[in-house]
Amino acid sequence: QKEVEQDPGPLSVPEGAIVSLNCTYSNSAFQYFMWYRQYSRKGPELLMYTYSSGNKEDGRFTAQVDKSSKYISLFIRDSQPSDSATYLCAMNSGGYQKVTFGIGTKLQVIP
Amino acid sequence: EPEVTQTPSHQVTQMGQEVILRCVPISNHLYFYWYRQILGQKVEFLVSFYNNEISEKSEIFDDQFSVERPDGSNFTLKIRSTKLEDSAMYFCASSDGQGRYEQYFGPGTRLTVT
């Protein structure tokens, strides 16, 4: 079983739609959860960083963590064409430890 | 806004040659990392560095790889004898090392080994 599983997509949605992106993980040691956005051939850009189970909101983005189910989600409200990118879930066991990434979900928002 | 920078953006080298990839982490950050991403694959951890020594490394980071903080601003990754399978995007990242754990990534260096 892979440590972090993420559907690579692609996922196509119309502009203005609510986007739901998800990851599952198997390692119970993971305590910190991140979402990065990556444009083609660019570096990952940190969008959300969470620790506890529950929701964290930042503008149009909401990160959700369910540690009991080992399941994390990122919701994007009112999606825009500029949101078209690959979204990487990532996690680690804490502190300054290495981050383990999912494969990334490619999102296309169609005008 | 402070950011991690990397040079060069693209490096082409022949198999067996040595390459040095350079990074300038965010000023005042104390933890530094190298990751790589082979085309179409996951971003993979290589090594982390703190207080002038390696704090963690992956099985990928073998004797062909080394890291160095040659001065107060640069952080380098050296590959001694490149192989075709070293072709990838190499990302440098940094964390502040003072209670905030987020890792911020640079734009990457695309390494092509021919």
Side-chain angles (χ1 to χ4, degrees):
Chain A
Q1 187 181 10
K2 293 179 183 176
E3 272 195 303
V4 180
E5 302 226 36
Q6 185 176 14
D7 186 339
L11 176 64
S12 291
V13 300
E15 183 175 353
I18 296 174
V19 176
S20 172
L21 304 166
N22 311 293
C23 285
T24 59
Y25 63 96
S26 58
N27 189 343
S28 298
F30 289 144
Q31 298 293 323
Y32 292 81
F33 304 92
M34 306 123 217
W35 286 94
Y36 285 85
R37 178 172 62 195
Q38 186 177 31
Y39 294 108
S40 183
R41 293 187 179 268
K42 301 294 183 184
E45 172 193 1
L46 183 64
L47 287 176
M48 302 289 283
Y49 184 88
T50 58
Y51 168 67
S52 57
S53 283
N55 294 352
K56 180 178 180 180
E57 191 173 318
D58 184 0
R60 296 186 295 113
F61 298 92
T62 299
Q64 194 171 77
V65 174
D66 182 349
K67 287 185 182 178
S68 63
S69 301
K70 296 189 178 67
Y71 188 86
I72 69 170
S73 300
L74 178 71
F75 298 96
I76 307 174
R77 288 185 299 281
D78 187 26
S79 55
Q80 302 296 309
S82 58
D83 294 327
S84 298
T86 296
Y87 289 80
L88 311 175
C89 65
M91 49 201 77
N92 71 3
S93 56
Y96 303 104
Q97 302 297 310
K98 67 177 182 182
V99 170
T100 299
F101 284 83
I103 189 73
T105 299
K106 188 170 184 177
L107 171 68
Q108 184 177 19
V109 181
I110 302 166
Chain B
E1 186 173 322
E3 58 184 20
V4 177
T5 60
Q6 291 185 243
T7 54
S9 58
H10 187 198
Q11 173 92 47
V12 181
T13 189
Q14 288 190 325
M15 196 167 50
Q17 295 298 302
E18 175 183 287
V19 293
I20 297 176
L21 310 182
R22 302 180 191 279
C23 167
V24 178
I26 293 172
S27 178
N28 297 324
H29 277 196
L30 301 178
Y31 260 92
F32 315 117
Y33 309 84
W34 284 102
Y35 291 80
R36 78 173 185 189
Q37 186 177 31
I38 295 170
L39 189 64
Q41 298 186 24
K42 291 183 179 186
V43 176
E44 304 175 283
F45 169 78
L46 292 177
V47 66
S48 59
F49 190 86
Y50 173 74
N51 200 24
N52 280 319
E53 59 183 32
I54 290 173
S55 52
E56 190 178 6
K57 62 181 181 179
S58 72
E59 57 274 10
I60 302 168
F61 194 87
D62 61 22
D63 292 344
Q64 292 299 310
F65 292 88
S66 62
V67 289
E68 191 178 27
R69 177 102 161 135
D71 54 43
S73 59
N74 289 283
F75 179 52
T76 62
L77 174 70
K78 182 193 289 186
I79 309 174
R80 288 192 183 81
S81 179
T82 50
K83 304 176 188 137
L84 293 175
E85 54 265 36
D86 293 327
S87 295
M89 285 288 285
Y90 287 80
F91 297 110
C92 175
S94 69
S95 290
D96 80 348
Q98 298 167 77
R100 292 186 61 91
Y101 305 130
E102 296 94 322
Q103 294 182 22
Y104 295 94
F105 283 70
T109 292
R110 182 154 63 104
L111 177 64
T112 302
V113 182
T114 62

